[in-house]
Amino acid sequence: MIFPSPLKAGDTIAIVAPSGGITCRASFEEGIRILHEFGFKTKFPRDLWPGREYLADTDENRSNELKTIWNDPEVDAVMAARGGFGCLRITAQLQSTTFFPQPKRFIGFSDITLLHSFLNEKHNLVTLHGPVVTSLSRLNQKSLLAFRSALIERFDNWQCSFQPEILRDSHSCSGISAGGNLSTIISTLGTVCEQDWKNKIVILEDTGEPLYRIDRMLTQLKLCGKLDTVSAILLGDFSHGLGLDRIETMRHHDAIWERMLDLTDENVTLWADVPVGHGATNFTLPLGMKITLDSMKGVVAHR
């Protein structure tokens, strides 16, 4: 595992758009303001990105942007502008190129899941599953503090405390962290971008998906054998964007938790209500790093 150095005041975070373009300039500008308030400089194209419809730019330009930024000596960390769709179109290309990224902290989630697994598995680089620039302004205070801490603290001191719902308990479980957005992960099955989950602690979240689609995706993971080799699964938020009230949200989540219990073996640790997702609560968690779950204390830590 390669641990990128922590950031300090005055360091530069470069913003890249490997997926969709900016659809709401106000949320992008507010995210940049928050990064500046934290004491960081930012670097991004003056005209943002010229893409139309659902892509920020051409595949070649998005891929080249990522490679150029990674090797820019003035850049200390790399953060995605937003998610959407597009990483699948360039990650396969990156797999076959001589791209050797410098060890810099990389942050993003949702469609950015694909770049996390590419950097974790091909380059042994520990990355940060956390907000994109356009989602920073929607985060609650605890999530913003978790994000800032993940940027400035050393990985060997990292830990995160919260109150998960323990669905199945093994008291103490260790493994390399992996996972991300469920529908994005499903799109990689049978491709060169497919994640290796053997003995991993897998984080899963999704947004705006009705229950039958979540069931179908989880069932597909089971039939592909992906759920048979994991050490643990951490289930985040699956309800944002569905217009459900609090009771309906609880029922929606409970149905997903029950389905995951049915699909996994008794030796697989299962936590739910893990604070990751597309809503206001989205803690920043490392991927590609050995972590330990302590269900007695509700702590995830590097061990």
Side-chain angles (χ1 to χ4, degrees), residues 2-298:
I2 299 173
F3 299 97
S5 299
L7 300 186
K8 59 185 182 300
D11 280 351
T12 298
I13 300 176
I15 314 302
V16 295
S19 300
I22 302 302
T23 56
C24 178
R25 191 180 183 109
S27 63
F28 179 81
E29 291 174 349
E30 182 64 13
I32 295 298
R33 183 192 66 77
I34 291 171
L35 293 175
H36 291 173
E37 278 193 352
F38 285 162
F40 305 118
K41 299 176 183 177
T42 56
K43 182 175 184 177
F44 53 90
R46 180 178 295 274
D47 58 352
L48 300 185
W49 293 269
R52 298 178 180 177
E53 297 183 357
Y54 55 85
L55 295 174
D57 207 334
T58 65
D59 291 351
E60 181 179 8
N61 286 347
R62 286 180 291 117
S63 177
N64 287 339
E65 175 188 58
L66 194 63
K67 289 185 282 189
T68 300
I69 286 297
W70 273 106
N71 294 306
D72 185 339
E74 296 181 355
V75 171
D76 304 291
V78 181
M79 186 174 184
R82 59 159 296 194
F85 170 76
C87 283
L88 187 63
R89 294 175 54 148
I90 65 171
T91 305
Q93 297 175 10
L94 294 173
Q95 293 272 10
S96 61
T97 65
T98 55
F99 171 45
F100 298 105
Q102 297 296 313
K104 300 175 182 181
R105 299 209 172 189
F106 176 70
I107 315 101
F109 81 121
S110 195
D111 192 59
I112 311 303
T113 293
L114 291 175
L115 291 177
H116 284 298
S117 55
F118 166 71
L119 294 167
N120 297 159
E121 296 181 8
K122 189 173 179 64
H123 297 285
N124 299 319
L125 188 66
V126 176
T127 58
L128 293 170
H129 183 279
V132 293
V133 175
T134 54
S135 72
L136 279 172
S137 61
R138 300 196 303 268
L139 295 186
N140 57 34
Q141 190 65 20
K142 286 186 176 180
S143 298
L144 280 173
L145 290 175
F147 167 67
R148 183 176 181 275
S149 294
L151 294 180
I152 66 176
E153 293 179 357
R154 292 173 55 88
F155 282 111
D156 53 7
N157 295 329
W158 181 86
Q159 72 172 30
C160 183
S161 300
F162 46 88
Q163 294 181 316
E165 180 180 351
I166 307 299
L167 303 179
R168 189 184 293 129
D169 184 15
S170 63
H171 299 294
S172 181
C173 173
S174 295
I176 302 294
S177 53
N181 180 254
L182 176 60
S183 55
T184 300
I185 289 167
I186 289 294
S187 72
T188 70
L189 297 179
T191 75
V192 295
C193 302
E194 182 176 341
Q195 295 184 356
D196 175 13
W197 284 3
K198 186 175 182 180
N199 300 323
K200 301 286 180 66
I201 294 176
V202 177
I203 302 163
L204 294 175
E205 63 82 31
D206 217 319
T207 181
E209 296 287 356
L211 186 57
Y212 80 92
R213 288 177 59 111
I214 297 291
D215 188 347
R216 182 168 64 194
M217 289 187 281
L218 295 179
T219 302
Q220 185 175 358
L221 290 175
K222 175 63 175 179
L223 295 176
C224 289
K226 302 297 288 185
L227 302 181
D228 297 336
T229 61
V230 298
S231 293
I233 295 176
L234 309 185
L235 297 167
D237 183 50
F238 285 81
S239 59
H240 182 71
L242 290 177
L244 305 179
D245 63 27
R246 187 175 66 86
I247 299 300
E248 290 173 322
T249 296
M250 291 174 61
R251 290 173 178 165
H252 181 75
H253 278 161
D254 284 345
I256 296 170
W257 307 165
E258 287 294 330
R259 184 58 179 150
M260 186 59 84
L261 282 166
D262 291 340
L263 292 171
T264 52
D265 295 335
E266 289 297 320
N267 62 335
V268 175
T269 298
L270 281 180
W271 288 13
D273 286 335
V274 175
V276 295
H278 280 69
T281 299
N282 186 19
F283 282 26
T284 302
L285 304 177
L287 294 177
M289 183 174 82
K290 186 175 182 180
I291 61 174
T292 297
L293 309 181
D294 186 338
S295 58
M296 301 296 290
K297 299 179 180 179

